[in-house]
Amino acid sequence: MARTEKTRYLIIGNSAGGIGAAEAIREVDKAGAITIISDEPYPAYSRPMISEYLVESCPIERMLYRPPDFYEKNSIGTLLDEKVVQVDFNEHTVKLESGRTLTWQKLLLATGGLPILPEIEGIGLKGVFTFNKLDDAKAIDEFLNQYTRKVRAMVIGGGLIGVSVTEALVKRGVEVNIVEMKERILNTILDEEASALEEKALTQAGVEIICGHTASTIDSYFPEKVNGVSLDDGRSLPCDMVVIAIGVQPRLELVSGSKIKTNRGILVGRNMETSMPDVYACGDVAEAYDFVCGENRLTPVWPNAYTGGRTAGLNMAGISTEYPGGTAINAMKYFGVNIVSAGEVALLDNSCEIVSERHGDIYKKVVLKKGQIAGLVFAGDIEKSGIVYNLMKDRVNVDSFKEALVADDFGLASLPEEIWRERLAIPPLELTSFVISVEEPEEAIVGE
Ligand SMILES: Cc1cc2nc3c(=O)[nH]c(=O)nc-3n(C[C@H](O)[C@H](O)[C@H](O)COP(=O)(O)OP(=O)(O)OC[C@H]3O[C@@H](n4cnc5c(N)ncnc54)[C@H](O)[C@@H]3O)c2cc1C
């Protein structure tokens, strides 16, 4: 019979959230055994950098989120290329696909998201890809390497991932079409003006964008090979490959059928604990506190996953801590256009007030609700967007100086004196006083 291995802290998911939690645990508990499991075979890497891999075969060493000796130095056991297939939340055990069984005292679900696949004919053909992990970028790279002629690609979905893979493909010399169901690209994170600026840059780079339509079939005239995509209006567009980028959904398979409460993602409290004691969740799989709307919701971006992971880790190690909250924030530079957006930018109601400035391709907009910043979009000149974001994060009432936020010469000096003095006096996070001192680290579980 297979042996059951023991760990104090078990983290499923070796990415932003999982690493944030492991680091926080080690800061306060120097010895408790930490084990991280991932079904990907790599040490934690920057997921947003998979496009760099596609463009220039960026070596994994340059994409690593932490130095190669990170796990060993922190006595963190890893089980890479191992998938958790079942969790018994009452018995505190997990089963891996390989047959191993582990017991845990505290569990973190940092399982991220999975690409949504449309149920259309041809989805299983060779030449149809998603773009969510390093192996996806590797598979596309391998596919492109077979061709000596120009390749044509259809990207289905014009969101962040769709635009990210489009830029990488264009840099690889691929001719790209994007089909986007809504009326404009990047419609969930940008407003109309910023979307139009990005669309102009894409079009100038030779990308054809078809909005207001969906793909109804992926066509194949030769067995198993992509030859084109048919749209809902009957148009047929030839291509050699397809990238599906219509969205990502929280990876909930481990909690389905359990008592853990979910909505679109796993629901967590401000301490990142789920409805089940000793079980925590963070990152793209969790619905955590959003400081703009004051409710829990999905905010699937890297910094929120890391901060949520840190909060979970501290609580798992016995240090009662509240997640400060996150919101949707995106900083991008696709096709040379710098854009930062955060909070509510596109879905606005009558209670919102807008201040904005536009000079050529420089565009700045701040959305206000009851004197506080509810959202921002800065395009072209993003230098001061950080100050505005921090005012938003700290829920400062900006009513008396709102026009200054989008002015050319905006800076800390534009703020009332009591506010900028406060801004400069924020002390660094003090954690060292919480450290639990234990002599010898417990033995960590490692892959075989
Ligand atoms: C192409 C791309 C570009 C992006 N660009 C940006 C950007 O510019 N800025 C930004 O802030 N965010 C960006 N993001 C989003 C960002 O990468 C995510 O928000 C972040 O990675 C979420 O971290 P996470 O720890 O929650 O989960 P993930 O990074 O998704 O990691 C979860 C891990 O858990 C593993 N796992 C899941 N289930 C199991 C299981 N049962 N057993 C074992 N392992 C399991 C998964 O395989 C995965 O390795 C981008 C994402 C993509 C795909």
Side-chain angles (χ1 to χ4, degrees), residues 288-297 299 326-327 344 369 374 395:
Y289 182 68
D290 181 319
F291 62 76
V292 172
C293 63
E295 291 172 0
N296 281 28
R297 68 174 178 184
T299 53
T327 196
E344 309 270 2
K369 236 181 191 175
R395 313 311 291 141

Side-chain angles (χ1 to χ4, degrees), residues 35-54:
T35 305
I36 302 185
I37 306 183
S38 175
D39 57 3
E40 291 191 77
Y42 312 105
Y45 62 88
S46 163
R47 199 168 295 285
M49 280 181 76
I50 62 173
S51 45
E52 311 290 319
Y53 181 89
L54 187 52

Side-chain angles (χ1 to χ4, degrees), residues 34-145:
I34 305 175
T35 305
I36 302 185
I37 306 183
S38 175
D39 57 3
E40 291 191 77
Y42 312 105
Y45 62 88
S46 163
R47 199 168 295 285
M49 280 181 76
I50 62 173
S51 45
E52 311 290 319
Y53 181 89
L54 187 52
V55 175
E56 45 168 357
S57 294
C58 179
I60 173 99
E61 292 74 29
R62 269 180 44 211
M63 298 171 66
L64 290 185
Y65 187 41
R66 291 293 179 257
D69 61 356
F70 167 78
Y71 300 95
E72 203 189 335
K73 253 190 165 168
N74 289 287
S75 305
I76 297 169
T78 52
L79 296 172
L80 303 182
D81 211 4
E82 289 266 19
K83 185 175 176 184
V84 178
V85 287
Q86 202 188 343
V87 184
D88 187 325
F89 295 101
N90 295 320
E91 296 297 319
H92 283 209
T93 60
V94 297
K95 257 194 197 148
L96 310 190
E97 203 167 47
S98 60
R100 289 170 90 159
T101 306
L102 274 68
T103 67
W104 45 270
Q105 290 176 24
K106 304 278 178 186
L107 175 69
L108 176 69
L109 300 165
T111 51
L114 275 182
I116 299 169
L117 296 177
E119 286 179 15
I120 56 175
E121 198 185 313
I123 195 81
L125 290 169
K126 269 188 200 144
V128 179
F129 302 94
T130 52
F131 197 62
N132 194 53
K133 55 185 185 186
L134 183 54
D135 281 347
D136 294 336
K138 287 188 170 184
I140 297 175
D141 178 58
E142 242 172 64
F143 180 85
L144 294 177
N145 288 339

Side-chain angles (χ1 to χ4, degrees), residues 20 30 66 109 222 230 252 270 305 317 323 325 362 375 427 439 443:
K30 299 289 181 202
R66 291 293 179 257
L109 300 165
F222 300 108
S230 295
L252 296 174
R270 287 293 288 270
Y323 177 53
I362 294 180
E439 309 280 89
E443 206 175 309

